[in-house]
Amino acid sequence: MTAILTTALPLPLHSRGKVRDTYRLSDGELLMVSTDRISAFDVVLPTPIPDKGRVLNQLSLSWFRETAGLVRNHLSRDQTIPPELLQAQPDLDQRSMRVVMAQPVMFECVVRGYISGSGWKDYRQTGTIAGEALPAGLTESDRLPEPIFTPATKALTGHDENISRTELAHRAGRDLAQTVERLSLSLYRLGAERALDRGLILADTKFEFGWLNDDVILIDEVMTPDSSRFWDAGLYRPGGPQPSFDKQYLRDYLEQLGWNKQPPAPPLPAEVVTGTRERYLEALRRLTGRRQAVTTRV
């Protein structure tokens, strides 16, 4: 099926993010649509990845339901897609979810169980990650003694900024900071355990939360290849980079180009599109037991 770069539904557009288009269904409900757009280094690439939106949507739906016992999330009870919207985009039931409108908490809630990516770069330079002291002598991709919470600001444009837990408490307030840290660590531990049961290591991931009345709820996406770093448990060998089922393959390709990581991003060749798509589909298969992104709703 043709990749979806931008959606156009007969609804008021609420927002258009890097990878999602969100529409207003009513005063209190939104339709969040996952497109096939892909971003790297906070820049949207001009080349979509077929099936990506369906993979992200189905994984998020699955995780929202699997984690509902830990924290309330933004899923509406009714996930029926109105027929007139399906006429406008036939696969909308595969790439969208109906959600209640919440006020976003403007911080990324990152949890790391292993040392990799930007965390590995920080550790090599300072011996810490986001101000959190770690044991000396760790190597790349080592498992950390305990998962750590490393928050970041949520930038509407440009790059997110890693901050310490102390800075988060200063900016967000101690109660909210403690709440999102507790919820993030609980969600990570459940996700890491379930992923390992399915042969994958959840090395790190990020969560987003929002206010609904007086409650903090889980929003956006949950433990997808866009928001997480997944490794094959059977191939795990600490001491260097790991084969992954996330955007690292794409990032590695872009790093080789010498691109300055500023817009416009370079187009992707067919082999990189295919390789990226296969990794998303494999994550779906490993985490849900399904291969195809085009199927009935989770």
Side-chain angles (χ1 to χ4, degrees):
M1 191 172 288
T2 303
I4 304 297
L5 188 60
T6 303
T7 60
L9 300 179
L11 291 171
L13 182 66
H14 177 74
S15 64
R16 178 160 283 146
K18 292 173 186 172
V19 299
R20 290 179 186 80
D21 296 342
T22 303
Y23 297 85
R24 285 183 179 266
L25 281 170
S26 67
D27 288 342
E29 189 180 25
L30 303 172
L31 184 72
M32 183 178 291
V33 186
S34 296
T35 73
D36 295 330
R37 296 193 297 269
I38 192 166
S39 68
F41 307 111
D42 293 316
V43 179
V44 177
L45 278 67
T47 313
I49 305 299
D51 287 325
K52 174 179 176 286
R54 288 187 283 272
V55 167
L56 294 186
N57 192 68
Q58 291 182 42
L59 277 175
S60 283
L61 280 169
S62 178
W63 282 119
F64 275 130
R65 288 165 176 158
E66 199 159 356
T67 60
L70 291 179
V71 57
R72 182 181 175 184
N73 60 60
H74 67 172
L75 284 187
S76 298
R77 290 186 179 180
D78 183 6
Q79 287 295 312
T80 304
I81 305 300
E84 63 272 18
L85 298 182
L86 288 172
Q87 289 178 357
Q89 188 166 323
D91 70 340
L92 198 61
D93 61 334
Q94 297 297 315
R95 63 171 69 246
S96 68
M97 62 180 78
R98 295 174 61 159
V99 302
V100 296
M101 193 181 301
Q103 180 64 41
V105 172
M106 298 305 291
F107 296 94
E108 302 276 6
C109 295
V110 181
V111 179
R112 304 174 189 271
Y114 294 74
I115 187 166
S116 185
S118 63
W120 170 239
K121 292 179 182 178
D122 288 349
Y123 176 77
R124 283 190 300 170
Q125 294 171 356
T126 67
T128 68
I129 299 179
E132 296 295 317
L134 295 175
L138 294 177
T139 64
E140 185 175 6
S141 303
D142 268 342
R143 183 176 181 179
L144 298 173
E146 292 290 337
I148 60 172
F149 178 69
T150 61
T153 60
K154 181 173 171 57
L156 297 178
T157 59
H159 298 279
D160 297 336
E161 173 196 358
N162 292 328
I163 58 176
S164 67
R165 296 163 63 240
T166 300
E167 181 64 17
L168 175 65
H170 174 72
R171 297 191 190 189
R174 186 179 63 180
D175 289 347
L176 178 58
Q178 289 178 344
T179 295
V180 296
E181 177 174 355
R182 173 179 55 80
L183 292 174
S184 297
L185 289 169
S186 295
L187 287 163
Y188 173 81
R189 289 188 176 101
L190 183 147
E193 180 180 342
R194 302 292 169 83
L196 196 58
D197 288 343
R198 298 157 191 173
L200 293 178
I201 290 172
L202 179 58
D204 53 57
T205 191
K206 68 177 180 180
F207 302 106
E208 296 191 30
F209 297 94
W211 287 105
L212 184 63
N213 300 321
D214 294 327
D215 295 328
V216 175
I217 68 170
L218 184 62
I219 66 171
D220 195 60
E221 64 179 323
V222 187
M223 292 181 282
T224 72
D226 267 19
S227 65
S228 314
R229 201 183 308 268
F230 288 106
W231 298 333
D232 189 320
L235 300 177
Y236 173 62
R237 299 291 185 275
Q242 306 296 307
S244 63
F245 299 98
D246 50 64
K247 290 194 295 186
Q248 194 59 49
Y249 166 80
L250 176 63
R251 294 189 194 100
D252 290 344
Y253 165 77
L254 293 170
E255 289 276 19
Q256 297 171 7
L257 297 182
W259 171 48
N260 64 3
K261 302 176 185 176
Q262 299 297 317
L268 300 177
E271 61 270 21
V272 174
V273 171
T274 299
T276 304
R277 176 180 180 269
E278 285 300 314
R279 283 163 173 78
Y280 276 85
L281 288 172
E282 182 67 7
L284 178 72
R285 185 190 71 80
R286 296 286 289 270
L287 289 168
T288 69
R290 296 200 314 273
R291 167 67 178 176
Q292 297 298 323
V294 183
T295 182
T296 55
R297 293 180 70 86
V298 176

